[in-house]
Amino acid sequence: MTYLLYSPLSWVLLIAGGLLLVWTRLGRRGRAVGIGVWVLAMVLLTPWGGNALIRHVESEIPAGMDCASAAVDWPETVPIVLMSAGFETDPASDDPYVALSTKSWRRLRAAVLLSRSMPEAPLYIAGGGPFVLKESAVLSALARDWGVAPATLHAEDGSTTTWESAFALRSMIGGRVRVVSSALHLPRSLIAFQAAGFQACGQPSDSDYQGPGGLGYYLPQRSGLRRSEMAIYELLGQVLYRYRANGLVPAVPAGQAGVVTPPRVSAAPGLRQGVLQKGRPPARCRRRPAPCG
């Protein structure tokens, strides 16, 4: 239900309904303001509006915190941290690799390429998720299939949010880290890692921004709504994380999420046999509209 609160479609419907109910009691200025707000909400239903928000969020990495500039003098042994992005389907009923979300694949690819350029750097894969079969375990197995040395791989499988992942990793890593995630997710990730006491830089794996392309780019459609929801989700997440970082609400203790080394399995069927246990995952099996937390 919380999804409805940050969906521009909900705002369009609520504003339209509210205007109809009080239209005759509103003055000229009130009607103009109401129509203006409704039009703004409608803009967020278009790819143009959604991509404008995406671009804004992706550009919010603080100056000096992108790895391309901040980490030029860092040694190649600085740990790489990959933020997982969940499953699209239940990995218990599908090939675990196929069940991974597209973002998980893209983020892993970027982390593996970075790891190949820095073979002495350990690679930590963070994320447990709601399933019995953990995201970090599947991604670790896939990373080994792609040639990452097993000795450099570590998996944090107890966290369910970005905030929890950052604090869970405190017991295993200290100081500097290179955080790999989607450009849209990195600003929120860096807030969490800073709050956990890390000196972190962000390495974007991919961008969700798409430039103009025809008349449909300026008309309301599902893709525009989806992008607006993703951006608004991240903006709200940044607000919450800054609130937590300022100590206004309790932070998640680092000990609540464990760090383990994943089983050494190189193929999906073996992975399922080696890790999966009986039981069904919670109902929230899909991460919508963005990774859980």
Side-chain angles (χ1 to χ4, degrees), residues 85-144:
F87 294 106
E88 289 290 349
T89 58
D90 182 354
S93 60
D94 204 346
D95 182 312
Y97 290 178
V98 176
L100 286 167
S101 69
T102 303
K103 282 195 173 296
S104 284
W105 281 86
R106 289 177 175 174
R107 292 180 187 181
L108 180 64
R109 180 179 181 275
V112 169
L113 290 175
L114 186 60
S115 178
R116 287 175 181 172
S117 68
M118 303 175 180
E120 295 183 8
L123 173 57
Y124 288 81
I125 301 180
F131 296 100
V132 177
L133 186 57
K134 300 304 181 183
E135 299 162 20
S136 56
V138 177
L139 288 169
S140 295
L142 184 55
R144 286 191 293 272

Side-chain angles (χ1 to χ4, degrees), residues 21-284:
L21 287 175
V22 300
W23 185 259
T24 57
R25 286 177 282 174
L26 288 174
R28 181 178 298 178
R29 180 175 298 179
R31 292 176 181 179
V33 170
I35 292 174
V37 173
W38 182 82
V39 169
L40 179 60
M42 284 293 295
V43 168
L44 295 179
L45 300 183
T46 68
W48 179 78
N51 280 291
L53 272 183
I54 291 282
R55 178 175 242 175
H56 170 71
V57 176
E58 291 186 348
S59 66
E60 284 195 323
I61 297 178
M65 290 189 67
D66 60 296
C67 290
S69 60
V72 287
D73 297 325
W74 289 11
E76 294 188 355
T77 56
V78 171
I80 301 167
V81 176
L82 168 63
M83 307 303 293
S84 61
F87 294 106
E88 289 290 349
T89 58
D90 182 354
S93 60
D94 204 346
D95 182 312
Y97 290 178
V98 176
L100 286 167
S101 69
T102 303
K103 282 195 173 296
S104 284
W105 281 86
R106 289 177 175 174
R107 292 180 187 181
L108 180 64
R109 180 179 181 275
V112 169
L113 290 175
L114 186 60
S115 178
R116 287 175 181 172
S117 68
M118 303 175 180
E120 295 183 8
L123 173 57
Y124 288 81
I125 301 180
F131 296 100
V132 177
L133 186 57
K134 300 304 181 183
E135 299 162 20
S136 56
V138 177
L139 288 169
S140 295
L142 184 55
R144 286 191 293 272
D145 285 354
W146 286 354
V148 178
T152 66
L153 275 170
H154 308 274
E156 182 283 304
D157 72 349
S159 63
T160 58
T161 69
T162 301
W163 185 268
E164 289 179 5
S165 294
F167 278 80
L169 288 167
R170 282 197 309 185
S171 62
M172 296 297 294
I173 321 173
R176 297 169 172 174
V177 289
R178 293 181 171 92
V179 181
V180 179
S181 190
S182 306
L184 186 65
H185 181 243
L186 271 177
R188 179 160 60 97
S189 298
L190 292 174
I191 294 171
F193 275 86
Q194 278 189 313
F198 290 99
Q199 182 182 353
C201 72
Q203 178 76 29
S205 59
D206 61 296
S207 171
D208 288 282
Y209 174 78
Q210 291 184 350
L215 179 61
Y217 192 78
Y218 304 96
L219 298 176
Q221 54 181 285
R222 183 181 300 176
S223 63
L225 172 62
R226 172 66 174 166
R227 291 182 185 282
S228 291
E229 289 171 348
M230 292 166 59
I232 292 168
Y233 182 91
E234 290 299 328
L235 287 170
L236 293 176
Q238 289 180 38
V239 172
L240 174 61
Y241 280 15
R242 288 194 178 99
Y243 193 72
R244 286 178 174 174
N246 289 331
L248 299 179
V249 295
V252 178
Q256 286 189 1
V259 178
V260 299
T261 300
R264 296 192 175 186
V265 186
S266 60
L271 176 66
R272 189 186 289 113
Q273 294 170 4
V275 181
L276 186 60
Q277 301 173 357
K278 292 183 179 180
R280 296 199 53 82
R284 57 187 185 96

Side-chain angles (χ1 to χ4, degrees), residues 8-28:
L9 181 59
S10 301
W11 304 346
V12 167
L13 297 175
L14 287 173
I15 294 169
L19 285 175
L20 288 174
L21 287 175
V22 300
W23 185 259
T24 57
R25 286 177 282 174
L26 288 174
R28 181 178 298 178

